[in-house]
């Protein structure tokens, strides 16, 4: 019988490649690991200062100063400070690590940015209702399968495509050059909402709720019933 877990509290500076774990198994790596081409139907924890790529996992936790790319994961949590996650395909993602750099991922449902000083760029969140057919502009497609929640402070959210709603409750967020197919709700202060293209299904493309000190400029706002 194959063990249901592997890794270990003292397993540092190792390379893990081509392993297939049993259903519900866990994989815990530690400092400066290289982890690639593994199948983990449970949770894969990267440890710190690790490089993680080409894995398939149910859940993945990306540790401090680790970099995860080209993985296929049901739920990814970027929890470590200064961690990176690029070009992954996930169902849902949470970014809680301060200073994380997260870009060019495909996120099928929801993304939550709760860490501070996060750079979150060029991600696609949700699935368009035209099932991926080409269009002149992403705003020509209406979709509501995705959502983005920004609860951290001092985050930069740039050049993303969000097929659904956006909620900003963290202060001093820079939200710029994004394409959004539903309302952007801002419930915090001192944010900059600049250069976005937002198609709304309701009364407001940008809904400011009990907030102040926000800068809203150079956005293209479109009513869905006018398209």
């Amino acid at each position: 019988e194959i063990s249901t877990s592997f890794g270990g509290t003292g397993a540092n500076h190792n390379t893990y490649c081509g392993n297939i774990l049993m259903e519900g198994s866990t994989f815990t790596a530690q400092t400066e690991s290289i982890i690639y081409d593994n199948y983990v139907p449970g949770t894969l924890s990267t440890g710190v200062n690790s490089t993680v790529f080409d894995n398939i996992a149910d859940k993945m936790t990306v540790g401090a100063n680790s970099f995860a790319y080209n993985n296929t994961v049901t739920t990814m949590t970027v929890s470590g400070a200064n961690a990176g996650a690029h070009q992954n395909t996930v169902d849902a993602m949470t970014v809680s690590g301060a200073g994380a750099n997260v870009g060019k991922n495909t996120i099928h449902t929801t993304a939550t940015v709760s860490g501070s000083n996060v750079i979150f760029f060029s991600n696609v969140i949700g699935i368009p209702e035209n099932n991926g057919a080409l269009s002149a502009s992403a705003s020509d497609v209406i979709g509501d399968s995705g959502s983005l929640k920004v609860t951290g402070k001092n985050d930069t959210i740039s050049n993303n495509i969000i097929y659904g709603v956006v909620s900003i409750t963290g202060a001093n967020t820079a939200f710029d050059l994004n394409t959004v197919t539903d309302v952007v709700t801002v419930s915090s202060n001192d944010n900059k909402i600049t250069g976005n293209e937002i198609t709304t299904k309701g009364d407001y493309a940008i809904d400011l709720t009990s907030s102040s000190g926000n800068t809203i400029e150079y956005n293209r706002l479109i009513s869905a019933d006018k398209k």
Side-chain angles (χ1 to χ4, degrees):
E1 181 178 338
I2 297 177
S3 174
T4 57
S5 64
F6 94 90
T9 58
N12 301 330
H13 308 284
N14 290 314
T15 297
Y16 304 91
C17 171
N19 300 285
I20 299 174
L21 277 69
M22 301 295 288
E23 193 70 29
S25 300
T26 59
F27 177 179
T28 303
Q30 299 296 318
T31 302
E32 297 182 4
S33 297
I34 299 173
I35 307 161
Y36 66 99
D37 199 26
N38 299 284
Y39 174 72
V40 183
T43 300
L44 193 164
S45 299
T46 70
V48 301
N49 295 305
S50 296
T51 302
V52 190
F53 59 97
D54 292 345
N55 301 282
I56 298 173
D58 182 36
K59 298 179 181 179
M60 180 180 291
T61 301
V62 184
N65 298 301
S66 292
F67 186 61
Y69 66 95
N70 203 39
N71 300 283
T72 301
V73 184
T74 303
T75 304
M76 177 176 284
T77 301
V78 184
S79 59
N82 303 311
H86 290 185
Q87 296 179 312
N88 301 285
T89 300
V90 305
D91 282 353
M93 177 180 285
T94 298
V95 184
S96 56
N101 186 297
V102 177
K104 299 182 180 180
N105 300 284
T106 299
I107 304 167
H108 292 147
T109 58
T110 61
T112 300
V113 179
S114 59
S116 61
N117 299 299
V118 170
I119 297 175
F120 187 87
F121 70 98
S122 300
N123 302 284
V124 177
I125 304 171
I127 301 172
E129 289 181 1
N130 72 342
N131 295 319
L134 294 176
S135 65
S137 169
S139 68
D140 293 334
V141 183
I142 302 300
D144 60 4
S145 62
S147 68
L148 171 63
K149 297 180 181 179
V150 183
T151 64
K153 296 181 179 180
N154 307 314
D155 295 323
T156 299
I157 313 296
S158 183
N159 283 292
N160 301 282
I161 299 174
I162 301 115
Y163 293 108
V165 300
V166 175
S167 171
I168 299 174
T169 60
N172 198 31
T173 298
F175 189 82
D176 61 88
L177 302 176
N178 302 284
T179 298
V180 186
T181 66
D182 210 334
V183 62
V184 176
T185 302
V186 181
S187 304
S188 56
N189 301 329
D190 304 319
N191 303 289
K192 293 182 179 180
I193 315 298
T194 308
N196 302 284
E197 187 167 305
I198 303 169
T199 302
T200 180
K201 298 179 180 181
D203 294 331
Y204 303 106
I206 301 173
D207 188 2
L208 301 176
T209 62
S210 301
S211 53
S212 64
N214 295 294
T215 300
I216 315 294
E217 58 186 4
Y218 308 119
N219 299 284
R220 183 168 184 250
L221 309 178
I222 309 164
S223 174
D225 62 4
K226 302 298 183 183
K227 293 175 70 64

